[in-house]
Amino acid sequence: MVYCDQESYPTSIRRQKKGFGAAVGIHPKKVQFFPQSKFEELGNLLRLNTVVALGEIGLNRCAPESTWKLQEEILIKVLQLSMPIRQVILHMRDAADQHCGEVGARCLQIMRANVAPTQRIHLHCFTGTVEQVVS
Ligand SMILES: [Zn+2]
C-alpha cells in the first residue's frame, strides 16, 4: 500500500502479509495541497514498524511548471525524514516528450545532497537510462 496523498493518510497501519509493506509520502503532483502541519503526521507514520518505505516522493515535470520549485522544496524537506533502513520510493517523471534527462539529473543531485550514500532507492515512473541508474 502506498499512501502519498495526505488526504488518505491512515491513523494506523496494520501489519501486512509477509513480503508486503506500507509506504507513506507526498506525491509530487500533490505538493501544492500539502500543509506544513502535515509533516509531523508524516514523520509519525514513518516511525511505525509497519511502514517499510518513504514514498512516493519526487519530481514530476508533467505537473504545471508553477509547482516545480515547490516540488523541489518539499522533496528536500521530506528527505530529512528518510532513513537508510527504509527504502525511498522516488517518482521522477519528465515532460511527456523527454526521458528523465533533466528531471533525472536534478533528482540525482538532490538525492546526493540529502540522503546517506547507503540509502536504498526504488525508482518509480523512471524512463531514463541504465547509466543514470548506475550513477
Ligand atoms: Zn509515481
Side-chain angles (χ1 to χ4, degrees), residues 27 56 91 124-125:
H27 195 280
E56 297 179 28
H91 172 110
H124 179 72
C125 218

Side-chain angles (χ1 to χ4, degrees), residues 4 10 18 57 101 118 128 130 133:
C4 58
K18 190 172 172 61
I57 58 173
T118 54
V130 171
V133 173

Side-chain angles (χ1 to χ4, degrees), residues 9-131:
Y9 282 173
T11 51
S12 66
I13 300 173
R14 289 182 307 157
R15 184 161 303 285
Q16 305 301 305
K17 288 183 180 174
K18 190 172 172 61
F20 291 85
V24 290
I26 306 166
H27 195 280
K29 287 181 103 172
K30 295 283 189 165
V31 293
Q32 67 270 39
F33 308 113
F34 194 84
Q36 295 290 317
S37 59
K38 282 282 183 175
F39 272 105
E40 185 178 342
E41 186 179 343
L42 177 59
N44 289 339
L45 287 169
L46 285 167
R47 282 190 285 276
L48 296 174
N49 62 8
T50 48
V51 171
V52 299
L54 167 61
E56 297 179 28
I57 58 173
L59 303 177
N60 188 316
R61 298 299 197 232
C62 288
E65 190 170 349
S66 60
T67 68
W68 294 4
K69 186 172 184 287
L70 181 61
Q71 286 183 32
E72 290 196 9
E73 290 169 3
I74 295 280
L75 175 59
I76 290 166
K77 184 169 182 177
V78 78
L79 283 173
Q80 305 313 307
L81 301 173
S82 69
M83 293 171 267
I85 60 165
R86 296 201 171 126
Q87 298 229 358
V88 166
I89 302 173
L90 186 63
H91 172 110
M92 55 170 86
R93 185 169 184 184
D94 220 321
D97 61 340
Q98 297 177 22
H99 296 284
C100 287
E102 184 273 333
V103 80
R106 186 65 186 131
C107 272
L108 189 61
Q109 195 177 37
I110 290 172
M111 296 305 281
R112 281 201 173 121
N114 292 282
V115 298
T118 54
Q119 178 66 57
R120 293 179 301 150
I121 302 168
H122 170 97
L123 297 178
H124 179 72
C125 218
F126 177 75
T127 58
T129 65
V130 171
E131 289 74 24

